[in-house]
Amino acid sequence: NAGVTQTPKFRVLKTGQSMTLLCAQDMNHEYMYWYRQDPGMGLRLIHYSVGEGTTAKGEVPDGYNVSRLKKQNFLLGLESAAPSQTSVYFCASSYSSVITEAFFGQGTRLTVV
Amino acid sequence: GQQLNQSPQSMFIQEGEDVSMNCTSSSIFNTWLWYKQDPGEGPVLLIALYKAGELTSNGRLTAQFGITRKDSFLNISASIPSDVGIYFCAGQQVSGGGADGLTFGKGTHLIIQP
């Protein structure tokens, strides 16, 4: 059982470049999330989705866009990368708003130079 | 956004010692979760708490959902080297009919001295 899979695992971007991070889950979870983790800051919610075709902003959404075209996939896009977006990005999913236990992927380490 | 205050920030202990850490908030949460993160990995769920006053164990780990619903505690008994890592508390407050995602504490870095 793969759980939550993130691709790529590592990426280096130049300022202004764009990229998309892919998250896939095979647990039939309704809810999916994108977090970023920075030293001393814990995990901060970027965007989340409560179901296929829906997305919502989290705590730090600026500079990111997301899409949930299929229930099992949640994409995070950076249209014009900035050095401040250097971080480790985690995708997570949970079954519902009642069963809120979130399962995480292994992370994507992104460096913007 | 909501703030979770997790303490201590780091702990240096001897193998075999018991460990206690906690999270507090000014807001009420409906769910408290405790995660462990190893270097280079994603957080892994340890314990989930859904009711005020609930006390739940997972092996040597015990966590409690505070009566006020504004705090939670995690205890680790008889620590072993593989307990090393960063422990995060996370809380969720369901509002407006949908989930706003988990709010995380900043983590407790557990270091076990030989």
Side-chain angles (χ1 to χ4, degrees), chain A residues 41-53:
Chain A
M41 300 293 290
L43 288 130
R44 293 182 292 169
L45 183 64
I46 305 171
H47 287 278
Y48 65 99
S49 168
V50 301
E52 181 178 319

Side-chain angles (χ1 to χ4, degrees), chain B residues 22-102:
Chain B
N22 69 83
C23 264
T24 61
S25 172
S26 58
S27 303
I28 291 175
F29 287 96
N30 292 332
T31 302
W32 283 97
L33 305 173
W34 285 92
Y35 287 85
K36 179 175 183 271
Q37 185 177 28
D38 292 325
E41 303 288 330
V44 174
L45 182 66
L46 298 174
I47 293 178
L49 302 160
Y50 290 98
K51 294 181 181 179
E54 180 179 357
L55 184 70
T56 298
S57 294
N58 178 6
R60 293 177 295 105
L61 278 62
T62 302
Q64 185 163 23
F65 192 143
I67 292 291
T68 65
R69 297 169 66 189
K70 293 183 178 181
D71 57 7
S72 181
F73 304 86
L74 175 69
N75 296 318
I76 305 173
S77 62
S79 59
I80 60 177
S82 61
D83 291 335
V84 167
I86 303 177
Y87 292 79
F88 290 98
C89 63
Q92 181 157 32
Q93 179 178 17
V94 177
S95 61
D100 295 327
L102 294 169

Side-chain angles (χ1 to χ4, degrees), chain A:
Chain A
N1 194 352
V4 179
T5 304
Q6 290 182 233
T7 53
K9 289 185 168 48
F10 302 95
R11 185 73 186 269
V12 178
L13 284 180
K14 294 182 179 178
T15 298
Q17 286 186 319
S18 64
M19 77 163 295
T20 300
L21 282 67
L22 173 64
C23 177
Q25 53 96 4
D26 61 2
M27 297 174 282
N28 199 35
H29 284 173
E30 289 293 333
Y31 287 70
M32 297 188 74
Y33 315 88
W34 276 106
Y35 288 87
R36 62 177 288 173
Q37 185 175 34
D38 303 295
M41 300 293 290
L43 288 130
R44 293 182 292 169
L45 183 64
I46 305 171
H47 287 278
Y48 65 99
S49 168
V50 301
E52 181 178 319
T54 73
T55 63
K57 293 180 180 180
E59 181 186 353
V60 288
D62 294 342
Y64 305 94
N65 56 76
V66 288
S67 64
R68 183 101 180 266
L69 298 179
K70 293 183 178 180
K71 185 178 182 179
Q72 63 267 33
N73 296 335
F74 195 28
L75 278 63
L76 177 70
L78 286 73
E79 290 186 350
S80 180
S84 61
Q85 294 178 304
T86 294
S87 186
V88 181
Y89 292 86
F90 286 100
C91 175
S93 69
S94 63
Y95 185 71
S96 71
S97 62
V98 177
I99 302 174
T100 56
E101 300 162 26
F103 295 87
F104 283 80
Q106 292 206 318
T108 296
R109 183 173 293 276
L110 175 65
T111 302
V112 182
V113 297

